[in-house]
Amino acid sequence: MSAAFRLPLEVFYEREARHPRQRFLVQPLGGGRVEELTWADVGHQARCAAHWLRACELPPGSHVAIISKNCAHWIIADLAIWMAGHVSVPLYPNLTADSVAQVLEHSESALVFIGKLDDWPAMAPGVKPGLPTISLPICPEGRFDFSWDQLQQCSPIQDDPNPAAEQLATIIYTSGTTGLPKGVMHSFGTLGFAATRGTQLFGLGPTDRLLSYLPLCHVAERMFVELAAIYTGQTVFFAESLETFLTDLQRARPTALFGVPRIWTKFQMGVYSKVPAKRLDFLLGLPFIGKRVGHKVLAGLGLDALRVALSGAAPVPQTLLNWYQRLGLDVLEVYGMTESCGYSHIGRSGQNVPGWIGRPCPDVEVRIDESGEVQVRSGATMLGYFKDPQKTAETVTADGFLRTGDKGEQDADGNLRLTGRLKEIFKTSKGKYVAPAPIENRLAVHSRIEQVCVVGDGLSAPLGLCVLSAAGLQDASGGARGGLHASLESLLDEVNGVLDKHERLHRLVVVKDSWAVENGFLTPTLKIKRNVIEATYGERFKEWSERSEAVLWQD
């Protein structure tokens, strides 16, 4: 395994010196106004803040938290914490007060940066009295101990501190799909290993543009936006809000974009709300005109300049990837975990095998154990879980392989296909094991289904729970309900026709709730929390199983 890689701060100083006046971060301020920060601006502000942090005389390697939605000063605060010799601890910007308190206490954070937030009053009680708070330039109303302006009154540090590769850089708390979040420890070396190799895959550089909108506290955005920008010199545009997202996207016209499957589906749903699926399908199939139609659709979304389009964090239906290909956009799948810096497998343009994610990233070793679990080893593997050596030993094997918890298989060329999540696989009352993810992928192709969860632990056969898209809800409340019901029945027949007998769904249940981050059904990275879904609807599973209809509507 090649050992050469560069460390994040070392690369940042080089960019700062090489093109100080080049635009680095573009922050919307509301009302159509934006602030543009150059590499020199970012370096100066981070160095002033680092001076202030050093003056606090905290022990070296102290933990400093960041609670904020994505914004330019999230990245500047992160750099300042590193320059001051400390460890950054990012928190999700929509946690409950109890979760905030839990992470701050567990991480032993000594200071907290508070930035852009939607509901600070609900979170604030989680910051215990006595824990100093520092407000970033875009921050909520409230009382904070120090302000960013105060930090900027310090003179910038004159040295270029470059922590050792083995030094702890950050503790990233998992989003908690399976219970309490765990603190994943990454060093400057693990971040540098993944960023050095990952950014060499696509040939991106200073003329490229990124849009930052998925939580920066999650490993994917940290790697694909913050570190990717530092290592390649790309400009980072920030999204202001959900309401302005399309405007933000069109302003940025990103050349590289990382999205989760739900985002790619939402783009598709947005197109279908303007052009019916059948009509668009017909237009795309026309010779000569089809290509122009595809480009026009992408331009309307702000995606016409994309050279690198990536999807990760959850399985994506092949039909969705095919749809984007017809538009002229090759969306490549990425596979990784917080514990591996998100660096494991990636699809390569023009070399993808349908239904398979892709080959391992450079210098990643892969093996499948006797239970079918995918295990990976590379220089990007975490140092361990903070204050949890037992969980670390359960997750990292004695010879350094990371147990992913995913079942999978490899083909002769090393392409990976996931066949289920070991912890999600359930057993029916007939004693048969079922992996829900592949079945969910087949159901998710329906244009009126936005989210789906297959359940069945202890039931005679699995059930598919569905949440309708906006267009689906419109159909259900209007005269098109009969047609929608019939198409869902057809979907059920079609999916059951390709499943093994023990996997076949008893029925589909259309639930009334929307599954969102705000009501606890989704993690901040838009993954379904199965435990919440089972707790919410579990008492009705038996009753739904005993009904005779193929498609049920929750009453």
Side-chain angles (χ1 to χ4, degrees):
M1 185 185 289
S2 161
F5 57 86
R6 309 191 61 211
L7 298 175
L9 284 180
E10 171 195 355
V11 180
F12 175 79
Y13 302 140
E14 190 180 288
R15 294 234 167 263
E16 181 190 28
R18 195 195 308 166
H19 37 64
R21 284 184 286 280
Q22 185 175 304
R23 184 176 65 174
F24 177 21
L25 305 176
V26 181
Q27 175 65 53
L29 300 172
R33 296 176 304 124
V34 296
E35 178 185 21
E36 296 192 352
L37 296 163
T38 64
W39 288 87
D41 294 334
V42 169
H44 178 82
Q45 291 195 31
R47 288 166 181 277
C48 292
H51 183 152
W52 185 90
L53 287 167
R54 284 181 182 177
C56 292
E57 297 186 346
L58 298 170
S62 290
H63 301 170
V64 180
I66 304 173
I67 308 178
S68 176
K69 292 174 75 173
N70 298 12
C71 61
H73 284 86
W74 195 110
I75 290 176
I76 300 172
D78 200 25
L79 290 167
I81 292 164
W82 287 348
M83 288 178 186
H86 299 314
V87 177
S88 59
V89 182
L91 276 71
Y92 281 98
N94 47 12
L95 294 177
T96 63
D98 286 347
S99 296
V100 169
Q102 180 196 340
V103 173
L104 291 178
E105 185 176 347
H106 184 269
S107 65
E108 301 172 6
S109 291
L111 295 168
V112 190
F113 282 99
I114 307 293
K116 183 180 177 182
L117 293 166
D118 290 335
D119 194 3
W120 172 239
M123 301 177 79
V127 181
K128 290 187 176 170
L131 184 59
T133 54
I134 307 149
S135 62
L136 294 176
I138 301 177
C139 68
E141 292 288 321
R143 295 183 63 183
F144 303 100
D145 299 301
F146 305 96
S147 72
W148 187 256
D149 285 345
Q150 286 174 269
L151 274 58
Q152 294 307 297
Q153 287 164 19
C154 295
S155 56
I157 60 168
Q158 296 303 306
D159 57 324
D160 289 350
N162 195 22
E166 61 274 12
Q167 189 170 323
L168 181 62
T170 189
I171 303 174
I172 303 175
Y173 279 81
T174 59
S175 55
T177 46
T178 54
L180 295 176
K182 301 180 288 288
V184 177
M185 297 188 289
H186 275 296
S187 66
F188 288 98
T190 59
L191 297 177
F193 180 96
T196 299
R197 282 158 176 70
T199 51
Q200 289 167 354
L201 285 168
F202 300 112
L204 293 164
T207 59
D208 285 295
R209 301 177 299 278
L210 294 161
L211 179 70
S212 179
Y213 66 100
L214 291 171
L216 264 167
C217 53
H218 185 264
V219 74
E221 194 81 351
R222 199 88 174 274
M223 297 306 302
F224 288 105
V225 171
E226 180 187 28
L227 286 165
I230 289 170
Y231 277 72
T232 61
Q234 296 175 85
T235 301
V236 180
F237 290 76
F238 292 90
E240 186 181 349
S241 66
L242 270 177
E243 291 71 36
T244 65
F245 184 75
L246 194 56
T247 307
D248 297 325
L249 195 55
Q250 289 164 338
R251 177 195 295 120
R253 288 187 66 242
T255 55
L257 186 72
F258 176 85
V260 295
R262 185 144 182 251
I263 294 294
W264 294 110
T265 303
K266 276 193 168 293
F267 287 155
Q268 183 193 49
M269 298 286 180
V271 172
Y272 283 161
S273 69
K274 295 191 173 102
V275 186
K278 281 185 180 173
R279 176 158 176 75
L280 181 60
D281 193 51
F282 169 73
L283 292 171
L284 290 172
L286 293 173
F288 310 115
I289 296 171
K291 198 170 180 182
R292 285 168 56 195
V293 169
H295 186 268
K296 195 172 178 182
V297 169
L298 291 174
L301 290 168
L303 303 178
D304 53 316
L306 268 189
R307 293 195 296 114
V308 178
L310 304 173
S311 181
V316 58
Q318 184 61 41
T319 50
L320 186 62
L321 299 178
N322 294 345
W323 185 80
Y324 278 102
Q325 274 184 334
R326 294 192 73 201
L327 296 181
L329 183 62
D330 206 6
V331 179
L332 305 173
E333 280 202 83
V334 180
Y335 171 66
M337 302 170 66
T338 309
E339 290 83 348
S340 66
C341 282
Y343 185 79
S344 179
H345 288 73
I346 196 161
R348 270 70 158 186
S349 192
Q351 302 172 37
N352 257 23
V353 182
W356 297 72
I357 293 166
R359 300 198 310 276
C361 295
D363 293 325
V364 173
E365 299 171 76
V366 187
R367 70 186 183 195
I368 312 284
D369 81 348
E370 62 281 355
S371 72
E373 182 182 40
V374 180
Q375 299 183 355
V376 296
R377 180 170 67 181
S378 79
T381 304
M382 67 171 179
L383 305 183
Y385 295 115
F386 185 53
K387 298 198 292 198
D388 200 342
Q390 184 182 335
K391 194 72 184 169
T392 302
E394 289 170 13
T395 307
V396 182
T397 64
D399 57 350
F401 275 84
L402 183 65
R403 299 180 194 273
T404 65
D406 287 311
K407 288 191 75 165
E409 55 194 31
Q410 293 187 96
D411 68 8
D413 296 319
N415 287 303
L416 178 71
R417 172 162 63 195
L418 299 183
T419 56
R421 182 109 182 110
L422 288 171
K423 286 180 182 171
E424 289 176 358
I425 292 170
F426 56 79
K427 195 198 293 191
T428 65
S429 62
K430 294 174 182 173
K432 297 285 189 178
Y433 287 97
V434 176
I439 306 172
E440 289 163 354
N441 255 350
R442 294 183 184 279
L443 293 170
V445 303
H446 195 286
S447 65
R448 295 301 190 255
I449 291 178
E450 183 161 313
Q451 294 156 306
V452 62
C453 181
V454 170
V455 298
D457 192 34
L459 301 176
S460 59
L463 297 170
L465 310 187
C466 306
V467 173
L468 296 178
S469 66
L473 288 169
Q474 206 171 345
D475 288 352
S477 61
R481 177 157 177 165
L484 175 59
H485 188 98
S487 76
L488 291 175
E489 286 182 336
S490 299
L491 174 71
L492 183 61
D493 288 341
E494 196 179 306
V495 170
N496 278 341
V498 294
L499 296 178
D500 289 338
K501 193 174 178 183
H502 70 279
E503 297 176 312
R504 288 174 192 159
L505 299 166
H506 234 24
R507 57 191 43 85
L508 289 180
V509 181
V510 180
V511 300
K512 290 190 298 189
D513 307 291
S514 86
W515 297 343
V517 175
E518 293 72 26
N519 60 11
F521 281 98
L522 302 182
T523 70
T525 51
L526 308 181
K527 290 182 191 169
I528 286 169
K529 291 186 178 180
R530 292 179 188 277
N531 57 335
V532 173
I533 285 169
E534 287 173 1
T536 304
Y537 307 108
E539 61 186 31
R540 301 203 61 187
F541 288 170
K542 193 167 182 299
E543 172 208 332
W544 288 339
S545 294
E546 289 167 356
R547 298 270 290 273
S548 57
E549 305 96 316
V551 175
L552 282 176
W553 299 75
Q554 183 191 1
D555 45 40

